[in-house]
Amino acid sequence: MKRRSVIDIFLGGSLAATIAAFLYPVIRYILPVKTTGATQTSVTAAQAGELPPNAAKVFKFGSAPAVLVNTAEGTLVALSAVCTHLTCTVRYDGDTGTLFCPCHNGRFDLAGNVLSGPPPRPLETYHVEVSGADIIVSRKS
Amino acid sequence: MKIPLIRYFVAAALFVPLAAFGQKNSCLDCHARLEDELKAPAAAFPGDIHAQYGLGCEDCHGGDPSQDDVDRAKDKSFKGSPKRAQVPQFCGGCHADASAMRAYNPALRTDQLNQYWTSRHGQLLKTGDTKAAVCTDCHGVHGIQSAKYPKSQTFPWNIPQTCGRCHADKDLMAGYKVPTDQLEDYRESVHARALFEKKDLSAPVCNDCHGNHGAFPPSVTSVASVCRQCHPSTGELFTKSPHKKAFDDLGAGECEACHGNHKILAPSTAMIGTDDRAVCTQCHDKGSRGFEKAAEFRRQLDGFETGFRAAEDLLVEAKKKGVEVSDAEYRLGDVSTLLVSAKNLTHGLDEAEIAKAVNDGEQSLAAVKAAAVKALDEARFRRRGLAVVTAILALFGLALALKVRAMARARRGEGSPGSPGPEPS
Amino acid sequence: MAKSIGPNIWKFLDERFMLSDLVAFGKKKTVPEHRRSFWYFFGGICLFLTGIQVATGVLLLLYYTPSVDAAHESVQFIMSEVKFGWLIRSVHSWTANLLIGLLFVHMFSTFFLKAYRKPRELTWITGFILLVLFMAFGFSGYLLPWNELSYFATRVGTDIAGSLPLIGPWLKSVILGGPEVSQATLSRFFWFHVALLPLAALILIGLHVLLVQTLGMSKPIGEKGKKEIPFFPDFLYKDALGWTVILVLIGVLCVFMPWEIGTKADPLAPTPLGIKPEWYFTFMFSTLKLVPAHILSLEGEKLAILAFMAGGLLWLLVPFLDRRAGREERSPLFTWIGAALAAYIVTMTVLTYTLPKL
């Protein structure tokens, strides 16, 4: 009889430990996460007024860089900044109003079209929306 | 009268298939029945770009393709095949005539013949050397395809082979004071790898540096302009550096002196420094300022690159252990760009610029390394957690097993419900 | 006072839920014990794994978004940012595969033990329908991460459905929610996976388990032993032991081989070489690939699909076809048929991964 009750305690105790071991990750999972951008379908690329005309900013969109350009005329455009040649990051050239890849001299216009150089495909363009003080960039559906 | 009308209809109906199938072409019909070299034109021509524009044998060779009899077909207008020395003018008859070409393809250039006469091939041909390349050697004949199509002899990844047919042939090139190892060298180059392995059609082939119709080896001073077409930032840095004047004074080809011309390999930090593999010691002797600077640049770049590879290895290890590291990988990509740009800056020889680039890079690298270490900690945490939970589960399993055994014993002693009675243990 | 809290709670609930009657009923439940009673555990294991799927699935619902713009990213988020997200997701993916494998084992063990014979025909039928439902669970769930493999596997799979005579194109568009794999498909598959199929499975599992309760466990034909053990708690403890072992296995798999996220689906990209559906469909997939293009002027693939459907129907109706088993006589013919089918499934599955040309 005594042996049985020791086993019962052992059984009850290990069961409790098992339940606890499973509840811990579940509870931590449910508690909210402290990081930004749950889903990278849209990102706040910049604040309104942050970019002067004829200037650009590279920002992270999903897992790749993207570029937000404030054109000389004051319109905002956003494109993927991954050069379609060998994935270097393109940068904005204010003198010519084009996106330029420093690796092999590839050049794109602000609609993403290849103007010159080795890139074989155009850059993907994104949708830009100004919402209050934020400039939000999202993928075109 | 009805009958003549019907005859007209029948005659017209008989011509319909002819019209549908195109004009009769006795040249192709006869030559298709011949052997080897005489059959080849007929076999290849239907795929030729000229055929697609509606041109036929008679448009280049003359003659009358509607005639079955060979003597009648080869009438007064028949020109036969041109001799090698006459090929450029033969093709140029149309291709150098802008108003003639406008009828077929207004956007096509018509200066190829002019360019050809400025080329080494053209110059040799003028002196009577028929071994020199003419149009058909590069473009083929009768099965010519647009250079935009992969089967064309002048499609980018076929060009090295096309040029190499002569230029890599020692016997053919004997007598000209030109080496024949260019094709072999090119095939080992980073440009060839980009072209043949990565299928990057923008990679330079023979004509991108030498010109095609006006082909001529670039002079020592013009090699660099050729490289600058795709590598402008490097060229700019070089122009600003003290090397530019020094190389000009020496009469040395800028890029070529260190990187070669055909066998251009992927550059690495090993090219900079003071050991045997470095190019700096070609000019800079031990103890000179250049020598010291070379050693310094190498030291800085090596430090940065070693740190980069270490961070990369850590990320690979974390990834293999199942931890999600795409964010750190993204930032590593940024650092990789900084590393490439730091290496590029060595062409400018500006100590301050290079030091700053290396410094910036190493700072970004620190963040990546921290993320990698965090990822490895996570991998360790998971394995420890598994060990703990497995231990708890093992204890629970043991408790269950003991309980089951105890209950079975108890039941055997008392007699369990449904069993026939106590069994001998 | 403290000692009487437990009994007081019990008394409170008993008066309202008639718990004592339930307990009395439960105490009477027994499970036969004989040479083959080991196979009895598999049904419970499948139920346990289903429970795990429901729990992890509900947790995944908290962070998953069924939109083509966000699905892949949300899975990425779960794997990298959410605490223990990697664990919940990997458990869900691994358990899905284990569950389907064990369902096949459960089905074949009951087949070979002829547990389908009278009066358990409906248990067999609900069981087979459940297998089909769970394979549908697998097929619909596989698309949800919206990665390259799942997008193309869905396309290939629905193309096969679309090739059925007469109803094919209509069926394909109903499954896909349109002419091709798109947002409509993702929404629809999500609906299948978290609403329609769980509801159907709940009903069928309910019926299946109820039948096991009312009819008890089937004993092999000719088994004369009368040894029985109580279900509560003896058999349940043994069940729990098996479940514990499976949990350890799942834990090891998730830590050392977490489920991959894959690259986001790109509908414009060409189909990757060697695209295959998940392993539990590969025996059918490889059969379709190996079948000759034409058999007696009929399209080979369509013939094979119809053969599968006919085969499935016959398999479903086995309780009514196996007369000998119904008379409690040994039925070696059906044993051989089952063995041949099992061998065929295993062989075709292995061939899919070993034959390079497939």
Side-chain angles (χ1 to χ4, degrees), chain C residues 133 238 288:
Chain C
L133 279 182
K238 289 185 181 181
L288 290 176

Side-chain angles (χ1 to χ4, degrees), chain B residues 321-322 324 326 378 381-383 386 390 393-394 396-398 400-401 403-404 407-408 411 416-420 423, chain C residues 30 76 79-80 84 86 226-230 232-234 237-238 240-241 244 247-248 251-252 254-256 258 261:
Chain B
K321 292 200 167 147
E324 221 284 316
S326 62
E378 168 71 18
F381 168 74
R382 290 186 192 181
R383 278 156 172 72
L386 177 69
T390 303
L393 284 173
F396 183 54
L398 180 65
L400 283 169
K403 181 71 181 172
V404 164
M407 282 192 316
R411 302 241 184 262
S416 57
S419 75
E423 290 171 56
Chain C
T30 60
Q76 170 96 0
M79 292 298 283
S80 61
F84 294 103
W86 61 273
K226 298 252 187 295
K227 175 142 189 268
E228 304 256 335
I229 61 172
F232 292 104
D234 303 52
Y237 282 157
K238 289 185 181 181
L241 191 54
T244 308
L247 279 175
V248 172
V252 168
C254 290
V255 168
F256 291 101
I261 302 171

Side-chain angles (χ1 to χ4, degrees), chain C residues 312-332:
Chain C
L313 186 64
L314 288 173
W315 188 253
L316 180 74
L317 296 174
V318 144
F320 306 103
L321 299 171
D322 188 356
R323 302 264 182 217
R324 288 181 67 103
R327 294 194 294 267
E328 297 289 323
E329 285 167 25
R330 291 208 187 279
S331 170

Side-chain angles (χ1 to χ4, degrees), chain B residues 221-393:
Chain B
T221 46
S222 71
V223 166
S225 328
V226 163
C227 308
R228 275 176 173 76
Q229 293 303 307
C230 294
H231 300 279
S233 61
T234 320
E236 261 173 46
L237 283 164
F238 184 86
T239 307
K240 283 191 290 184
S241 77
H243 275 162
K244 171 98 173 102
K245 185 166 181 305
F247 275 52
D248 285 349
D249 289 344
L250 277 172
E254 300 170 4
C255 320
E256 191 220 340
C258 298
H259 290 281
N261 46 11
H262 302 112
K263 193 170 166 179
I264 303 170
L265 300 171
S268 70
T269 42
M271 287 175 74
I272 299 180
T274 52
D275 56 34
D276 291 334
R277 285 197 300 161
V279 298
C280 313
T281 44
Q282 275 176 33
C283 299
H284 296 285
D285 295 323
K286 186 162 177 179
S288 65
R289 210 169 128 251
F291 189 87
E292 304 299 324
K293 267 188 146 186
E296 175 60 22
F297 292 151
R298 174 65 178 274
R299 201 188 51 80
Q300 286 178 319
L301 287 175
D302 267 351
F304 187 12
E305 186 150 32
T306 317
F308 177 83
R309 300 259 171 259
E312 200 180 40
D313 287 340
L314 282 179
L315 278 183
V316 165
E317 204 194 321
K319 197 168 178 179
K320 251 202 298 199
K321 292 200 167 147
V323 185
E324 221 284 316
V325 289
S326 62
D327 201 50
E329 281 175 336
Y330 169 79
R331 277 186 274 157
L332 189 70
D334 272 349
V335 177
S336 170
T337 310
L338 287 172
L339 179 61
V340 170
S341 130
K343 289 189 200 175
N344 195 29
L345 281 173
T346 51
H347 293 96
L349 297 174
D350 186 334
E351 267 177 276
E353 241 181 17
I354 294 173
K356 181 174 180 303
V358 169
N359 202 26
D360 286 346
E362 281 179 335
Q363 278 186 333
S364 302
L365 194 58
V368 175
K369 193 152 170 270
V373 166
K374 200 158 153 253
L376 283 171
D377 283 342
E378 168 71 18
R380 236 192 314 272
F381 168 74
R382 290 186 192 181
R383 278 156 172 72
R384 287 216 191 103
L386 177 69
V388 168
V389 173
T390 303
I392 293 176
L393 284 173

Side-chain angles (χ1 to χ4, degrees), chain C residues 9 56 65 74 78 139 152 187 205 211 215 219 229 235 249 257 259 270 291 302 318 339:
Chain C
I9 295 177
T56 52
T65 310
S74 65
I78 290 169
F139 189 68
F152 287 106
S187 304
I205 291 175
L211 284 165
L215 298 170
K219 278 161 60 167
I229 61 172
F235 188 79
L249 173 67
M257 293 201 272
W259 209 261
V291 135
K302 291 211 214 287
V318 144

Side-chain angles (χ1 to χ4, degrees), chain A residues 48 76 128-136:
Chain A
L76 288 165
V128 181
E129 205 181 293
V130 181
S131 168
D134 295 333
I135 301 175
I136 301 176

Side-chain angles (χ1 to χ4, degrees), chain C residues 33 40 51 90 96 119 121 140 179 184 188 206 218 223 229 236-237 259 262:
Chain C
E33 199 163 77
Y40 290 158
S90 293
E121 306 93 332
S140 55
R188 193 160 281 241
S218 152
E223 173 62 50
I229 61 172
L236 196 57
Y237 282 157
W259 209 261

